[in-house]
Amino acid sequence: MTEIRPRRSVLYMPGANERALEKAKSIDADALILDLEDSVSPDAKEAGRANVCAAVASGEYGHRELAIRVNSIGTQWHDDDVAAAAKAGPDAILVPKVESAEQVRSLVAAIEAAGAPDSTALWAMIETPQALLHAEDIAAAHERLTVIVMGTNDIVNETYGLHVPGRNPLVLTALSWTLLAVRAAGKVVIDGVYNDVKDAEGFAAEARQGREMGFDGKTLIHPSQVDPANEAFAPSEGDVERAQGMIAAFEEATAAKKGVATFNGKMIEELHIRDAKRILAYAEALQSR
């Protein structure tokens, strides 16, 4: 089984806010996106760039995976962002509004030309109709692209939809479509943000929805969302106990050369055991952080 890296909670942190970057060292998020795009005003772009690169170089973020979100392709800041981020060598460089496989390959070439270490992955945001229609090509474009992040706010905006409880049908279609494309490519996919930081119940419901759909985790805009996301996307004690019991029952049936294995009155097959082993491996990865 390939190494599992939890990405239940992926928290955006404004790159121009030094206090926020300092606070992030104590937040129990699995990953941090040190942002140079939406949360940084044009007159603070250079300062933000210096801040996030220094944060990555500090080595003070413990188990947290660090990604730098650069400004999008075609903006006046993009090239300098990519060059600086590559030199800093974070775990990943996240690029917004990626719309084609060709762009992915060009981004990989730019990152490598700028001297990024082999350990720095490319993450891409899918957040436009063009990207959604080419999600399969984007996800499979290059092995250095390891994670797809959903930009649900932009999807709603560009499709003229509305933000509604449970998410509107087009957003759900976009999420499902992209998830299928990413899974086909064997990559990781992270759900979009929930905008109302005061609506804890609404956030919990959307996080559960994302987990039920199959997402690996959720992007977050406030530290208060970290613990609920960690809970929603982690196996519960009951999940672990069921997985252990299922594996034991299957192994017992196999040893006894029984034609059918059952657990709690339900038939279990090899596919159920694969899922059970994945759950146990994930729980072990969380415990060993």
Side-chain angles (χ1 to χ4, degrees):
M1 182 177 292
T2 57
E3 181 184 0
I4 294 175
R5 184 159 196 174
R7 296 182 177 98
R8 304 163 297 169
S9 49
V10 183
L11 178 64
Y12 286 102
M13 300 302 295
N17 188 329
E18 294 183 62
R19 289 182 60 188
L21 295 177
E22 181 65 27
K23 182 180 179 180
K25 297 174 183 178
S26 63
I27 297 172
D28 192 31
D30 289 335
L32 301 170
I33 296 174
L34 311 182
D35 187 32
L36 297 177
E37 195 207 15
D38 288 343
S39 68
V40 180
S41 63
D43 61 351
K45 295 291 188 184
E46 291 189 11
R49 188 185 301 138
N51 287 346
V52 300
C53 291
V56 168
S58 72
E60 297 175 352
Y61 288 83
H63 69 270
R64 299 162 191 83
E65 189 172 13
L66 299 182
I68 295 176
R69 180 166 75 165
V70 300
N71 285 278
S72 58
I73 298 169
T75 64
Q76 66 189 83
W77 308 285
H78 173 78
D79 291 346
D80 289 341
D81 284 352
V82 169
K87 184 177 180 181
D91 294 298
I93 296 173
L94 172 61
V95 182
K97 295 183 175 60
V98 174
E99 294 188 320
S100 69
E102 181 181 357
Q103 286 184 342
V104 171
R105 290 188 285 269
S106 294
L107 287 165
V108 170
I111 289 168
E112 293 178 349
D118 292 341
S119 58
T120 296
L122 175 65
W123 293 8
M125 294 194 73
I126 285 186
E127 47 190 336
T128 68
Q130 178 80 358
L132 290 166
L133 293 173
H134 295 89
E136 184 177 5
D137 293 338
I138 291 169
H142 200 281
E143 62 273 11
R144 194 155 188 160
L145 174 64
T146 60
V147 175
I148 294 293
V149 177
M150 299 303 302
T152 44
N153 280 338
D154 282 83
I155 290 171
V156 172
N157 177 264
E158 296 212 14
T159 57
Y160 308 155
L162 297 175
H163 291 280
V164 295
R167 297 194 267 200
N168 74 53
L170 185 55
V171 170
L172 291 176
T173 299
L175 292 171
S176 298
W177 179 261
T178 306
L179 192 146
L180 288 172
V182 176
R183 292 292 184 241
K187 309 292 178 71
V188 170
V189 60
I190 308 297
D191 196 2
V193 300
Y194 188 79
N195 296 315
D196 188 348
V197 298
K198 296 182 179 180
D199 182 9
E201 183 177 342
F203 175 82
E206 189 168 289
R208 286 194 302 271
Q209 180 193 55
R211 173 64 192 93
E212 290 167 0
M213 293 181 74
F215 284 92
D216 294 283
K218 192 164 182 62
T219 44
L220 315 173
I221 60 172
H222 194 272
S224 66
Q225 298 174 331
V226 170
D227 287 345
N230 285 344
E231 180 179 356
F233 288 93
S236 66
E237 290 183 12
D239 293 333
V240 172
E241 290 174 1
R242 281 190 294 275
Q244 292 170 335
M246 194 177 298
I247 292 170
F250 189 81
E251 291 177 346
E252 181 180 346
T254 301
K257 297 184 178 180
K258 294 181 179 179
V260 176
T262 61
F263 177 71
N264 288 346
K266 297 180 179 180
M267 187 177 72
I268 52 176
E269 301 176 283
E270 184 63 38
L271 65 91
H272 299 113
I273 300 308
R274 289 198 301 270
D275 193 51
K277 289 180 177 178
R278 180 187 59 79
I279 289 171
L280 295 183
Y282 198 97
E284 183 178 346
L286 290 174
Q287 290 178 350
S288 63
R289 287 194 321 170

